[in-house]
Amino acid sequence: MPASPIYIPTVTNDTDWNFCFHLSQQNKNSAHQRPDELCFTYESRESEEESRTEEEENIDCMSLPKEKLAQSQKKIVQLIKEKMNIQANKELIRCVILSRIVFGQEHWKCAEALANLAYGYLTLRGFPAQAKKHAESAKNKLLALKGNMASDEEEREILGVMILLYYTLGMAWLLQKRGKEAYFYLQKADRTMKELTELNKGYVYNIQVTEKDLEIGLGRASLAIHRLNLALSHFEKAIDDVIAAKGVDTSDLISLYEEIAQMEQLRRNHGQAIQYLKQAYSICVSSFTENSPQTGEVSALLAKAYAMSGEPQHRDAVEIYFVKSISAYKATLGPEDCETLATIEEFCKWLVQNGNKQGAYRLLKASLKSYIINYGVCNEKVAETLYNMSRICFPKGEIRKAIQMLRKQIHQAREEEEKMTLENSVSPSYIQPYLFDPHLRVVFPIRKCMEWQIRGCAVIT
């Protein structure tokens, strides 16, 4: 279902700003009064001035909206720092309203406020449809004004807004999986950036989108249209830009190394992918310490990269980095965290594929309690863990042990259901042969699992 456009309230619908409009309307009405109505005697004017001296000296019909606009712009920066994205987006809407009051509907500053709102919908809320709507509106205003500016400074500022608009449109199309349209607008943003750089004699300042952002966007769009070599060149350029600006040890390089490593894996260049991930791992350890979620993530990616290479000499490295990843996740996120359990599951699959079924069984058994704590007793994930443990036991001839584990899960399901029955004072449904999660609405047939085992299935899928 297409996303509905976001409604920007008009001034008359916003009670906060009604005073500004009433004051402005009074000034307009007074300008159209008849001459004879404005002909007061000198004495009456003098008496009125004496009764309202301080008010009339200080009244400026635009001062209040200008102050409110400046306050909202400062507030947005603070809200984004505090990760209060919804409130920041509301302030961006307020800035659009105030810009219309202060500058007028057709002024480029009003278009700039719309561009900022579009960028906010993209980056703060992840709403590409709304981002595109407001970006298109701002783009049409700016294109009509471009080239007719009173000063070179205004033209430079408009080019900066155009870069933001084209980047927003490109990334919005990319979020909607439209790579061709995304690449088109990101290219326009890149050309506009070069035009602005020439006008500023090689220096670009005071814009939200950097050259690194454009290179990353172009790289992702190139990948979306299956131009892998072009995507790699853009990411290499982005890495060079970051290194030139912040050095080789900046944490900004971690995500770039991860993405470019995945591209190298698509090219089956596993050696280069491993090198990029080793660089990311080194930066993680120096920036966040060895026991951190960031290091855990990169360690897991590095383990998978070694595994994908298929080289026998890399087996030890696979095990080392899986263990490091699991240890880092356990130390920082806890043994019951989803990332920890998912990494254990990946490690167990690799162990089974490489013949170490006993090691996989021990890991699954040790993590079973964490699965139950995290997902609950009656959950498909818990049943799947027991199922995988039983599949390891069956090929070894330990049929009794495998069936015992599955029956244990049935018994746990019965106990849980009886407990829920007592707490809720309802009659039991007696679905004991199944594991049922009322939140996920998943029914996992234990007896069917046992039938599969008896048929001799031996590989974890």
Side-chain angles (χ1 to χ4, degrees), residues 112-395:
E112 182 183 34
L114 275 173
N116 289 330
L117 176 61
Y119 185 70
Y121 273 119
L122 178 73
T123 58
L124 300 176
R125 306 298 305 280
F127 293 167
Q130 288 83 350
K132 281 164 53 182
K133 174 182 173 59
H134 295 302
E136 287 287 353
S137 177
K139 184 188 74 170
N140 294 335
K141 291 178 185 296
L142 288 177
L143 289 177
L145 294 169
K146 187 181 175 185
N148 298 319
M149 292 296 98
S151 66
D152 292 340
E153 184 61 30
E154 282 188 333
E155 187 172 354
R156 290 189 184 95
E157 290 189 43
I158 285 183
L159 285 175
V161 178
M162 292 298 296
I163 293 168
L164 183 65
L165 285 174
Y166 288 139
Y167 176 80
T168 301
L169 286 167
M171 298 306 290
W173 280 116
L174 193 58
L175 282 176
Q176 295 180 327
K177 302 186 186 302
R178 300 283 293 274
K180 186 176 179 180
E181 292 85 350
Y183 192 78
F184 171 77
Y185 279 109
L186 289 167
Q187 272 193 318
K188 294 191 80 169
D190 188 51
R191 286 195 294 268
T192 310
M193 177 73 83
K194 290 175 181 175
E195 184 180 350
L196 181 59
T197 305
E198 288 178 6
L199 281 175
N200 288 331
K201 299 179 180 179
Y203 182 68
V204 177
Y205 57 94
N206 290 338
I207 61 172
Q208 298 183 64
V209 179
T210 65
E211 291 185 15
K212 181 200 81 170
D213 296 328
L214 286 176
E215 293 295 342
I216 293 171
L218 285 165
R220 290 172 181 167
S222 300
L223 191 62
I225 58 176
H226 310 294
R227 299 178 66 180
L228 191 53
N229 291 334
L230 184 60
L232 276 169
S233 68
H234 284 301
F235 267 91
E236 287 168 354
K237 178 67 165 57
I239 289 170
D240 291 340
D241 289 343
V242 172
I243 291 173
K246 298 185 178 181
V248 295
D249 295 325
T250 176
S251 58
D252 290 354
L253 288 169
I254 295 171
S255 60
L256 294 177
Y257 283 140
E258 289 176 351
E259 286 198 63
I260 199 170
Q262 291 173 9
M263 293 180 191
E264 292 290 3
Q265 286 171 345
L266 290 173
R267 299 175 69 204
R268 301 185 185 279
N269 191 354
H270 299 295
Q272 188 60 53
I274 289 168
Q275 290 303 314
Y276 281 129
L277 289 171
K278 286 175 76 173
Q279 288 177 275
Y281 177 81
S282 176
I283 296 171
C284 275
V285 172
S286 61
S287 300
F288 306 107
T289 74
E290 197 160 353
N291 283 332
S292 66
Q294 294 87 351
T295 306
E297 179 186 353
V298 176
S299 298
L301 291 173
L302 193 49
K304 292 173 188 177
Y306 275 117
M308 287 180 68
S309 70
E311 299 291 336
Q313 65 268 24
H314 289 162
R315 288 185 180 179
D316 290 343
V318 175
E319 189 166 348
I320 288 169
Y321 283 106
F322 264 129
V323 169
K324 284 185 176 182
S325 177
I326 293 167
S327 299
Y329 279 141
K330 281 183 176 180
T332 54
L333 304 178
E336 296 87 20
D337 187 81
C338 296
E339 293 292 339
T340 308
L341 297 175
T343 307
I344 290 172
E345 188 177 347
E346 291 288 334
F347 187 27
C348 289
K349 288 180 180 180
W350 180 83
L351 288 172
V352 170
Q353 289 168 3
N354 287 270
N356 190 357
K357 295 178 182 178
Q358 192 62 33
Y361 179 83
R362 284 196 301 270
L363 268 177
L364 288 171
K365 186 177 179 180
S367 64
L368 181 60
K369 185 178 179 181
S370 297
Y371 274 110
I372 293 171
I373 292 171
N374 196 43
Y375 297 107
V377 177
C378 300
N379 185 272
E380 184 179 8
K381 203 70 180 176
V382 177
E384 185 182 348
T385 304
L386 282 167
Y387 176 54
N388 289 335
M389 290 169 67
S390 69
R391 297 180 83 166
I392 295 171
C393 295
F394 266 103

Side-chain angles (χ1 to χ4, degrees), residues 23-136:
L23 188 58
S24 177
Q25 191 64 37
Q26 288 171 8
N27 293 338
K28 288 180 182 178
N29 292 340
S30 63
H32 290 87
Q33 287 176 349
R34 290 178 315 210
D36 57 341
E37 292 177 349
L38 299 175
C39 293
F40 298 102
T41 64
Y42 177 82
E43 290 79 14
S44 64
R45 288 200 305 270
E46 186 176 13
S47 63
E48 287 178 8
E49 287 171 3
E50 287 174 354
S51 64
R52 298 180 314 195
T53 52
E54 191 170 347
E55 276 186 16
E56 292 189 352
E57 283 175 3
N58 296 326
I59 281 182
D60 178 359
C61 65
M62 285 295 106
S63 64
L64 183 59
K66 284 179 181 177
E67 290 172 7
K68 291 287 186 182
L69 179 59
Q71 290 171 9
S72 285
Q73 289 169 343
K74 290 179 181 178
K75 191 175 180 181
I76 289 165
V77 176
Q78 186 62 33
L79 289 171
I80 292 174
K81 285 181 181 178
E82 296 172 1
K83 300 187 184 302
M84 300 175 69
N85 293 349
I86 294 175
Q87 292 86 338
N89 208 76
K90 288 180 180 178
E91 286 299 320
L92 285 168
I93 295 174
R94 192 179 297 271
C95 284
V96 172
I97 298 168
L98 288 167
S99 295
R100 287 174 177 172
I101 299 169
V102 175
F103 301 107
Q105 182 77 17
E106 301 303 323
H107 197 278
W108 72 269
K109 283 284 187 181
C110 185
E112 182 183 34
L114 275 173
N116 289 330
L117 176 61
Y119 185 70
Y121 273 119
L122 178 73
T123 58
L124 300 176
R125 306 298 305 280
F127 293 167
Q130 288 83 350
K132 281 164 53 182
K133 174 182 173 59
H134 295 302
E136 287 287 353

